[in-house]
Amino acid sequence: MYRFAKAALNLSGQASRQVAVRHASSGASREFHAKYGMPLLISGATFCTAIWAYVITSTGISWNLSPVGKVQPKEWRE
């Protein structure tokens, strides 16, 4: 069990070092987010709002928000 625990800690240490190295060299992703982050967020929100506006107004779905009085049991067939 000791060898397994030691190997697991060694692997997690190696993994954390690799992640630290990746974060240190991620200047390109910071530039991308600084340049395109807000336009992507705005376009995504606009797209989502437009799709839901279409679904709510144009598809003809009847929005039965309350099932009270609308759900009727079916007749029993033998």
Side-chain angles (χ1 to χ4, degrees):
M1 188 66 179
Y2 173 73
R3 286 182 182 174
F4 177 73
K6 186 177 175 184
L9 288 175
N10 188 24
L11 286 177
S12 66
Q14 288 174 356
S16 64
R17 282 190 295 274
Q18 287 175 353
V19 168
V21 167
R22 282 190 203 132
H23 269 299
S25 65
S26 65
S29 68
R30 288 192 188 117
E31 292 173 11
F32 177 83
H33 288 295
K35 188 173 183 181
Y36 300 110
M38 189 56 69
L40 279 174
L41 181 67
I42 291 171
S43 63
T46 304
F47 178 76
C48 184
T49 303
I51 293 299
W52 274 110
Y54 172 77
V55 167
I56 290 171
T57 59
S58 299
T59 57
I61 296 175
S62 59
W63 300 91
N64 297 323
L65 299 179
S66 175
V68 176
K70 297 177 183 172
V71 177
Q72 299 293 331
K74 293 181 180 179
E75 293 294 326
W76 180 260
R77 294 184 297 173
E78 289 189 28

Short mmCIF file of all heavy atoms in Angstrom, two decimals, residues 48-63 65:
data_model
loop_
_atom_site.label_atom_id
_atom_site.label_comp_id
_atom_site.label_asym_id
_atom_site.label_seq_id
_atom_site.Cartn_x
_atom_site.Cartn_y
_atom_site.Cartn_z
N CYS A 48 -28.84 33.51 -28.13
CA CYS A 48 -29.73 32.80 -27.22
C CYS A 48 -31.06 33.54 -27.07
O CYS A 48 -32.14 32.92 -27.11
CB CYS A 48 -29.05 32.66 -25.86
SG CYS A 48 -29.99 31.72 -24.66
N THR A 49 -31.01 34.85 -26.92
CA THR A 49 -32.24 35.64 -26.80
C THR A 49 -33.08 35.56 -28.06
O THR A 49 -34.31 35.43 -28.00
CB THR A 49 -31.88 37.11 -26.50
OG1 THR A 49 -31.07 37.15 -25.32
CG2 THR A 49 -33.11 37.95 -26.30
N ALA A 50 -32.44 35.61 -29.22
CA ALA A 50 -33.18 35.54 -30.49
C ALA A 50 -33.85 34.18 -30.66
O ALA A 50 -35.01 34.10 -31.08
CB ALA A 50 -32.24 35.82 -31.66
N ILE A 51 -33.15 33.12 -30.35
CA ILE A 51 -33.74 31.78 -30.49
C ILE A 51 -34.92 31.62 -29.55
O ILE A 51 -35.99 31.13 -29.95
CB ILE A 51 -32.67 30.69 -30.22
CG1 ILE A 51 -31.61 30.72 -31.30
CG2 ILE A 51 -33.30 29.33 -30.10
CD1 ILE A 51 -32.13 30.44 -32.70
N TRP A 52 -34.78 32.03 -28.28
CA TRP A 52 -35.91 31.90 -27.35
C TRP A 52 -37.07 32.81 -27.75
O TRP A 52 -38.24 32.44 -27.58
CB TRP A 52 -35.45 32.19 -25.93
CG TRP A 52 -34.91 30.95 -25.30
CD1 TRP A 52 -33.61 30.71 -24.99
CD2 TRP A 52 -35.64 29.79 -24.94
NE1 TRP A 52 -33.50 29.45 -24.46
CE2 TRP A 52 -34.73 28.87 -24.41
CE3 TRP A 52 -36.98 29.43 -25.01
CZ2 TRP A 52 -35.11 27.62 -23.96
CZ3 TRP A 52 -37.36 28.16 -24.55
CH2 TRP A 52 -36.44 27.28 -24.03
N ALA A 53 -36.80 33.98 -28.29
CA ALA A 53 -37.88 34.85 -28.76
C ALA A 53 -38.64 34.18 -29.89
O ALA A 53 -39.88 34.22 -29.94
CB ALA A 53 -37.32 36.19 -29.21
N TYR A 54 -37.92 33.52 -30.81
CA TYR A 54 -38.57 32.79 -31.88
C TYR A 54 -39.40 31.64 -31.33
O TYR A 54 -40.56 31.44 -31.73
CB TYR A 54 -37.53 32.26 -32.87
CG TYR A 54 -38.13 31.33 -33.91
CD1 TYR A 54 -38.87 31.84 -34.97
CD2 TYR A 54 -38.00 29.96 -33.79
CE1 TYR A 54 -39.44 31.01 -35.90
CE2 TYR A 54 -38.57 29.11 -34.71
CZ TYR A 54 -39.28 29.63 -35.77
OH TYR A 54 -39.85 28.80 -36.68
N VAL A 55 -38.85 30.87 -30.44
CA VAL A 55 -39.56 29.71 -29.88
C VAL A 55 -40.82 30.16 -29.17
O VAL A 55 -41.88 29.56 -29.33
CB VAL A 55 -38.63 28.91 -28.94
CG1 VAL A 55 -39.42 27.90 -28.12
CG2 VAL A 55 -37.54 28.22 -29.73
N ILE A 56 -40.73 31.22 -28.38
CA ILE A 56 -41.88 31.66 -27.59
C ILE A 56 -42.97 32.26 -28.48
O ILE A 56 -44.17 32.03 -28.25
CB ILE A 56 -41.42 32.68 -26.53
CG1 ILE A 56 -40.61 31.95 -25.47
CG2 ILE A 56 -42.59 33.40 -25.89
CD1 ILE A 56 -39.92 32.86 -24.48
N THR A 57 -42.61 32.98 -29.53
CA THR A 57 -43.61 33.72 -30.30
C THR A 57 -44.08 33.02 -31.57
O THR A 57 -45.23 33.19 -31.96
CB THR A 57 -43.07 35.10 -30.69
OG1 THR A 57 -41.89 34.93 -31.47
CG2 THR A 57 -42.77 35.93 -29.46
N SER A 58 -43.23 32.23 -32.22
CA SER A 58 -43.57 31.81 -33.57
C SER A 58 -43.86 30.32 -33.75
O SER A 58 -44.35 29.93 -34.80
CB SER A 58 -42.43 32.16 -34.52
OG SER A 58 -42.25 33.55 -34.53
N THR A 59 -43.55 29.51 -32.79
CA THR A 59 -43.69 28.08 -33.02
C THR A 59 -45.10 27.57 -32.76
O THR A 59 -45.42 26.45 -33.14
CB THR A 59 -42.70 27.27 -32.16
OG1 THR A 59 -42.91 27.60 -30.80
CG2 THR A 59 -41.27 27.57 -32.57
N GLY A 60 -45.93 28.33 -32.12
CA GLY A 60 -47.30 27.89 -31.87
C GLY A 60 -47.43 26.92 -30.71
O GLY A 60 -48.44 26.23 -30.59
N ILE A 61 -46.45 26.85 -29.88
CA ILE A 61 -46.54 25.97 -28.71
C ILE A 61 -47.49 26.61 -27.72
O ILE A 61 -47.41 27.79 -27.42
CB ILE A 61 -45.14 25.79 -28.07
CG1 ILE A 61 -44.20 25.09 -29.02
CG2 ILE A 61 -45.25 25.01 -26.77
CD1 ILE A 61 -42.78 24.98 -28.50
N SER A 62 -48.42 25.82 -27.21
CA SER A 62 -49.30 26.33 -26.17
C SER A 62 -48.63 26.05 -24.84
O SER A 62 -48.35 24.91 -24.49
CB SER A 62 -50.68 25.67 -26.24
OG SER A 62 -50.53 24.27 -26.07
N TRP A 63 -48.35 27.12 -24.12
CA TRP A 63 -47.61 26.99 -22.87
C TRP A 63 -48.60 26.75 -21.73
O TRP A 63 -49.15 27.68 -21.16
CB TRP A 63 -46.79 28.25 -22.63
CG TRP A 63 -45.81 28.50 -23.72
CD1 TRP A 63 -46.00 29.26 -24.83
CD2 TRP A 63 -44.49 27.96 -23.81
NE1 TRP A 63 -44.88 29.22 -25.62
CE2 TRP A 63 -43.94 28.44 -25.02
CE3 TRP A 63 -43.73 27.14 -23.01
CZ2 TRP A 63 -42.65 28.10 -25.42
CZ3 TRP A 63 -42.45 26.81 -23.40
CH2 TRP A 63 -41.93 27.28 -24.60
N LEU A 65 -48.89 26.24 -18.40
CA LEU A 65 -48.03 26.36 -17.24
C LEU A 65 -48.59 25.64 -16.03
O LEU A 65 -47.85 25.17 -15.19
CB LEU A 65 -47.79 27.84 -16.93
CG LEU A 65 -47.11 28.62 -18.05
CD1 LEU A 65 -46.95 30.08 -17.64
CD2 LEU A 65 -45.75 28.03 -18.36
#
